[in-house]
Amino acid sequence: NGGAIDGTTIGANTASTGAFTTLSASGAATFTGDVTLGNAATDTITISGTVGINAGSIDNTTIGATTASTGAFTTLLASGTATLSSVDINGGAIDSTTIGANTASTGAFTTLSASGTATL
């Protein structure tokens, strides 16, 4: 019930479980299989370094809530209303959308056509 086991490999030939109050590593630690950190939604998990996520998903997580940064996405989807401070659209179509309904501005077009009455 006391003492130390120094310089001894445990579980080298037959792995088993372990229960610890504190677990630390002086070098890289590799975990295989599912890993659970914390056991309640109120637990705080602090990571002081960089986290690399090479697969999977981050669900129900706000990114950049405190400090905004840039992001690069292959697909960006929004359900509901999205407010973008600046948009550059280089292709595609804007169908069934009123432009300038609340705040009129200028427009530059190569072709202007109307399917109904037009007042110029």
Side-chain angles (χ1 to χ4, degrees):
N1 291 333
I5 304 173
D6 295 331
T8 302
T9 302
I10 300 173
N13 295 321
T14 305
S16 185
T17 59
F20 306 94
T21 55
T22 302
L23 179 63
S24 64
S26 59
T30 302
F31 300 98
T32 57
D34 295 337
V35 176
T36 301
L37 302 174
N39 63 357
T42 56
D43 289 349
T44 299
I45 299 169
T46 303
I47 299 173
S48 299
T50 300
V51 176
I53 299 173
N54 298 314
S57 61
I58 304 173
D59 296 331
N60 300 317
T61 301
T62 302
I63 300 173
T66 304
T67 304
S69 186
T70 59
F73 305 93
T74 54
T75 303
L76 180 62
L77 302 173
S79 61
T81 301
T83 302
L84 306 173
S85 61
S86 176
V87 178
D88 183 4
I89 301 172
N90 294 311
I94 303 173
D95 296 331
S96 302
T97 301
T98 302
I99 299 175
N102 295 320
T103 305
S105 185
T106 60
F109 307 95
T110 54
T111 304
L112 179 62
S113 63
S115 60
T117 303
T119 303
L120 303 175

Short mmCIF file of all heavy atoms in Angstrom, two decimals, residues 76-85 102:
data_model
loop_
_atom_site.label_atom_id
_atom_site.label_comp_id
_atom_site.label_asym_id
_atom_site.label_seq_id
_atom_site.Cartn_x
_atom_site.Cartn_y
_atom_site.Cartn_z
N LEU A 76 -19.62 25.64 -46.81
CA LEU A 76 -20.12 26.39 -45.67
C LEU A 76 -21.63 26.44 -45.78
O LEU A 76 -22.17 26.97 -46.75
CB LEU A 76 -19.53 27.80 -45.64
CG LEU A 76 -19.97 28.71 -44.50
CD1 LEU A 76 -19.55 28.12 -43.16
CD2 LEU A 76 -19.38 30.10 -44.66
N LEU A 77 -22.31 25.88 -44.81
CA LEU A 77 -23.77 25.86 -44.80
C LEU A 77 -24.28 26.62 -43.60
O LEU A 77 -23.68 26.58 -42.53
CB LEU A 77 -24.28 24.42 -44.74
CG LEU A 77 -23.84 23.48 -45.86
CD1 LEU A 77 -24.29 22.05 -45.56
CD2 LEU A 77 -24.41 23.94 -47.18
N ALA A 78 -25.40 27.32 -43.77
CA ALA A 78 -26.03 28.03 -42.67
C ALA A 78 -27.52 27.73 -42.71
O ALA A 78 -28.13 27.80 -43.76
CB ALA A 78 -25.78 29.53 -42.77
N SER A 79 -28.07 27.37 -41.57
CA SER A 79 -29.51 27.20 -41.49
C SER A 79 -30.05 28.40 -40.73
O SER A 79 -29.59 28.73 -39.65
CB SER A 79 -29.87 25.89 -40.78
OG SER A 79 -29.36 25.89 -39.47
N GLY A 80 -31.02 29.08 -41.30
CA GLY A 80 -31.52 30.30 -40.68
C GLY A 80 -30.90 31.51 -41.35
O GLY A 80 -30.55 31.49 -42.52
N THR A 81 -30.73 32.56 -40.61
CA THR A 81 -30.20 33.82 -41.14
C THR A 81 -28.70 33.89 -40.90
O THR A 81 -28.22 33.60 -39.81
CB THR A 81 -30.88 35.02 -40.45
OG1 THR A 81 -32.29 34.93 -40.68
CG2 THR A 81 -30.36 36.34 -40.99
N ALA A 82 -27.96 34.30 -41.94
CA ALA A 82 -26.52 34.50 -41.82
C ALA A 82 -26.22 35.96 -42.14
O ALA A 82 -26.69 36.48 -43.15
CB ALA A 82 -25.76 33.58 -42.76
N THR A 83 -25.47 36.64 -41.29
CA THR A 83 -25.08 38.02 -41.52
C THR A 83 -23.60 38.05 -41.85
O THR A 83 -22.78 37.63 -41.04
CB THR A 83 -25.37 38.89 -40.28
OG1 THR A 83 -26.76 38.80 -39.97
CG2 THR A 83 -24.98 40.33 -40.51
N LEU A 84 -23.28 38.53 -43.03
CA LEU A 84 -21.89 38.60 -43.48
C LEU A 84 -21.55 40.06 -43.74
O LEU A 84 -22.27 40.75 -44.46
CB LEU A 84 -21.71 37.77 -44.76
CG LEU A 84 -22.18 36.31 -44.68
CD1 LEU A 84 -22.11 35.65 -46.04
CD2 LEU A 84 -21.34 35.55 -43.68
N SER A 85 -20.47 40.55 -43.15
CA SER A 85 -20.13 41.97 -43.26
C SER A 85 -19.63 42.33 -44.65
O SER A 85 -19.76 43.47 -45.09
CB SER A 85 -19.09 42.34 -42.21
OG SER A 85 -17.91 41.58 -42.41
N ASN A 102 -34.23 47.71 -48.76
CA ASN A 102 -34.17 48.58 -47.59
C ASN A 102 -33.24 49.77 -47.78
O ASN A 102 -33.50 50.86 -47.31
CB ASN A 102 -33.74 47.79 -46.36
CG ASN A 102 -34.76 46.73 -45.98
OD1 ASN A 102 -35.95 46.97 -46.05
ND2 ASN A 102 -34.28 45.56 -45.61
#
